[in-house]
Amino acid sequence: MLGVKSRNLGTVPATTTRGAATTGSGGRDVGMAAWDLRPCGMLVQKRNSDVHQNKTIVPTIRVKVKYGSSYHEVHIKSQATFGELKKMLAGPTGLNPLDQKLVYKDKERDSKTYLDAAGVTDGSRMLLFIDILTQEKRVLENIKTVKIDKASTQLLEISSEIDKLVKQVGNLEIEIYGGKKVVEKALLNLIELLMSQLIKLDGIVADGDVKLQRRMQVKRVQKYIEFLDMLKIRNSKIASNGNECNVRAPLQRLNNILFE
């Protein structure tokens, strides 16, 4: 039986059926799946992209990394970045990826650089060092963040305590300006409690917005203490002269003093 001629491939045996294998040059077996029969009757070889349907297989390579006196073998895709390699090294080395410095062929490699673009192949070796400057900078930033969070939490707790004391100040103001005598010890206790909040505020070390908020709370407490001193004087007059008339609305007087 005669073979079928292809325009560029010569004669292909006609006895070959789809799915069977033919022997091409060099003794390699070529499946019929690599051939395409055109409507005109011509048999042409499929392009490689058609055969694999655009499925590109990225090979996995072995990279040997030396860190100190230890060697670490990492299996990674050849098209991965040095940053991805650093993440894989974080576990066995205990180093944060941000603190790692990878040197390949006597050159430090950027985390965004691809391994294959840098010439890394299967079995390549590289060195791992600690980036001291980056590590110190990151540690300082972490410490600063922790301090800010701690200061914010302390300030929030102190502000809550001050709000509770303010309510007590308001209650005493209503009684005193209503002409009712109060025990002086109640006024002194409130002053003492507010002073303790001032000491706590002075102990907060902060910068930026937290520092500004601390300063505002300090001024706020100082005004409450001054107002309590005024209430003491008013209360003493009630004790010596009897009940006095309500000259001004208590809450209005407190607000005027605090927001002057």
Side-chain angles (χ1 to χ4, degrees):
M1 187 174 179
L2 296 178
V4 180
K5 288 188 176 182
S6 173
R7 180 178 299 177
N8 298 320
L9 302 175
T11 302
V12 177
T15 56
T16 303
T17 58
R18 185 175 299 275
T22 62
T23 303
S25 60
R28 293 187 302 169
D29 290 336
V30 182
M32 281 300 295
W35 298 86
D36 187 20
L37 182 63
R38 297 295 174 85
C40 62
M42 296 187 66
L43 192 64
V44 297
Q45 190 175 15
K46 291 183 178 181
R47 292 177 298 177
N48 187 60
S49 59
D50 294 333
V51 175
H52 297 286
Q53 299 179 350
N54 296 326
K55 293 182 179 179
T56 303
I57 300 177
V58 180
T60 299
I61 59 176
R62 293 177 299 108
V63 179
K64 295 182 179 180
V65 182
K66 182 181 180 183
Y67 171 56
S69 59
S70 303
Y71 284 89
H72 302 280
E73 187 174 279
V74 180
H75 294 261
I76 190 171
K77 296 294 184 181
S78 61
Q79 294 182 359
T81 62
F82 280 89
E84 292 172 299
L85 178 57
K86 290 179 180 180
K87 291 179 181 179
M88 297 181 70
L89 289 168
T93 63
L95 288 178
N96 189 304
L98 298 176
D99 300 336
Q100 296 179 25
K101 181 188 296 185
L102 281 173
V103 176
Y104 177 62
K105 291 184 177 180
D106 299 326
K107 182 180 178 181
E108 181 184 352
R109 303 295 173 168
D110 187 86
S111 295
K112 297 180 181 180
T113 302
Y114 291 95
L115 298 177
D116 56 352
V120 178
T121 57
D122 188 50
S124 292
R125 297 171 180 267
M126 57 185 72
L127 301 175
L128 174 63
F129 299 96
I130 301 177
D131 193 336
I132 302 297
L133 293 178
T134 301
Q135 187 182 54
E136 290 179 350
K137 182 179 179 181
R138 186 177 60 82
V139 170
L140 290 175
E141 289 177 350
N142 289 340
I143 293 175
K144 183 178 180 180
T145 301
V146 170
K147 286 184 177 180
I148 292 175
D149 293 341
K150 182 179 179 181
S152 298
T153 302
Q154 290 177 333
L155 185 60
L156 185 62
E157 293 175 352
I158 294 173
S159 299
S160 178
E161 291 297 321
I162 293 173
D163 290 339
K164 294 177 183 178
L165 295 175
V166 168
K167 291 181 180 179
Q168 296 182 41
V169 174
N171 292 334
L172 289 177
E173 180 198 18
I174 292 174
E175 292 183 4
I176 292 174
Y177 276 88
K180 182 179 179 181
K181 172 80 170 73
V182 300
V183 181
E184 186 176 359
K185 187 176 181 181
L187 294 167
L188 295 176
N189 286 341
L190 264 180
I191 293 175
E192 184 178 347
L193 290 173
L194 287 171
M195 290 294 293
S196 67
Q197 299 304 320
L198 273 181
I199 295 174
K200 292 180 181 179
L201 287 170
D202 289 339
I204 296 178
V205 179
D207 296 317
D209 292 338
V210 179
K211 183 178 181 180
L212 179 62
Q213 293 174 15
R214 182 188 68 82
R215 187 180 303 167
M216 291 174 62
Q217 290 296 330
V218 169
K219 292 181 178 180
R220 180 188 180 201
V221 173
Q222 289 173 342
K223 287 186 177 181
Y224 285 134
I225 293 174
E226 291 175 1
F227 183 70
L228 283 170
D229 287 335
M230 294 176 62
L231 287 180
K232 282 175 57 182
I233 297 174
R234 181 82 177 188
N235 190 55
S236 64
K237 290 181 179 179
I238 295 174
S240 57
N241 302 330
N243 292 342
E244 294 183 359
C245 61
N246 186 0
V247 180
R248 301 180 63 182
L251 294 179
Q252 181 182 358
R253 185 176 183 84
L254 174 61
N255 291 335
N256 288 345
I257 293 176
L258 296 180
F259 292 100
E260 285 179 353

